[in-house]
Amino acid sequence: EVQLVESGGGLVQPGGSLRLSCAASGFTFSPYGMNWVRQAPGKGLQWVSYISGNSDTRYYADSVKGRFTISRDNAKNSLYLQMNSLRDEDTAVYYCVRSVGCLDVWGQGTTVTVSS
Amino acid sequence: DIVMTQSPDSLAVSLGERATINCKSSQSVSSSSNNKNSLAWYQQKAGQPPKLLISWASTRESGVPDRFSGSGSGTDFTLTISSLQAEDVAVYYCQQYYSIPRTFGQGTKVEIK
């Protein structure tokens, strides 16, 4: 079964850091581009970041550029999101998502709450 | 950035009736290289992650009931549920994957009348 499982969410103070992880299973991880997509409480979906299969290409939403870093370890079938200088508006459920152009496989999400 | 605008924001439809959701992009998402529209539709039920229903504007994903159909080209797209079932209550999102940043519509909430 194709599966993505996120971890690493939690409560963090404004200005703090957090590292999200995503474990992939059930498919060959390395060829696929991967994304992080977030959803603030009661709000819609916002794409956050993308990384290509070989990590050569990385993109970020303007709202997180310079603060978040996406990375992956194909040997460990894992995707990461390092989040620094967190703000209240970063509070959201963060989804790990596989892409084939569109976003075809989604994890269950991990919740990040930024609050003092 | 390409802005995606859905209409309506919500709709209530009787069981067995048709539901239609529109999605408009601020610029064309049609690719000349493959003559396809880079437009997807997702369904999100309460407490669950989104699920891909349709890619390339009209290609239904495996396992998606055939009452779901997508149409449109260029900047105007439609998701149609031909005969609404109780399990179709959800929020539906369109999304363009033509350019970076990937952008979503604001969502359309579908309920039973």
Side-chain angles (χ1 to χ4, degrees), chain B residues 44-62:
Chain B
Q44 186 176 31
K45 297 181 179 180
Q48 296 183 19
K51 172 189 172 183
L52 176 65
L53 293 179
I54 288 171
S55 59
W56 302 116
S58 61
T59 302
R60 199 181 306 115
E61 293 300 295
S62 175

Side-chain angles (χ1 to χ4, degrees), chain A residues 35 37 39 43-47 50 59-62 95 100-109, chain B residues 1 40 42 44 47-52 54-56 61 93 95 97 100-106:
Chain A
N35 303 261
V37 175
Q39 187 169 33
K43 302 297 184 182
L45 301 168
Q46 183 190 23
W47 172 83
Y50 164 86
Y59 298 119
Y60 299 92
D62 284 347
Y95 295 104
V100 289
C102 61
L103 304 169
D104 72 331
V105 179
W106 295 64
Q108 288 295 314
Chain B
D1 298 4
Y42 303 87
Q44 186 176 31
Q48 296 183 19
K51 172 189 172 183
L52 176 65
I54 288 171
S55 59
W56 302 116
E61 293 300 295
Y93 295 92
Q95 180 238 342
Y97 49 100
I100 295 293
R102 306 302 195 214
T103 47
F104 293 87
Q106 78 276 18

Side-chain angles (χ1 to χ4, degrees), chain A residues 5-10 19-23 36 79 81 94 109-111:
Chain A
V5 179
E6 303 92 337
S7 60
R19 189 195 196 206
L20 306 183
S21 299
C22 170
W36 290 98
L79 175 73
L81 186 67
Y94 285 73
T110 187
T111 301

Side-chain angles (χ1 to χ4, degrees), chain A residues 47-58:
Chain A
W47 172 83
V48 172
S49 184
Y50 164 86
I51 186 169
S52 62
N54 60 8
S55 301
D56 278 0
T57 301
R58 308 181 198 211

Side-chain angles (χ1 to χ4, degrees), chain A:
Chain A
E1 179 193 4
V2 174
Q3 199 169 10
L4 298 169
V5 179
E6 303 92 337
S7 60
L11 175 64
V12 61
Q13 293 188 337
S17 297
L18 214 52
R19 189 195 196 206
L20 306 183
S21 299
C22 170
S25 60
F27 66 101
T28 303
F29 182 66
S30 56
Y32 287 92
M34 297 295 297
N35 303 261
W36 290 98
V37 175
R38 69 185 180 184
Q39 187 169 33
K43 302 297 184 182
L45 301 168
Q46 183 190 23
W47 172 83
V48 172
S49 184
Y50 164 86
I51 186 169
S52 62
N54 60 8
S55 301
D56 278 0
T57 301
R58 308 181 198 211
Y59 298 119
Y60 299 92
D62 284 347
S63 57
V64 307
K65 203 172 294 183
R67 300 187 299 122
F68 290 11
T69 302
I70 192 170
S71 62
R72 64 191 294 162
D73 185 337
N74 287 341
K76 294 183 178 180
N77 292 335
S78 293
L79 175 73
Y80 307 101
L81 186 67
Q82 177 66 42
M83 305 186 295
N84 298 332
S85 304
L86 283 161
R87 306 167 179 168
D88 291 350
E89 55 265 34
D90 296 318
T91 293
V93 174
Y94 285 73
Y95 295 104
C96 168
V97 192
R98 189 178 80 172
S99 57
V100 289
C102 61
L103 304 169
D104 72 331
V105 179
W106 295 64
Q108 288 295 314
T110 187
T111 301
V112 172
T113 303
V114 184
S115 175
S116 54

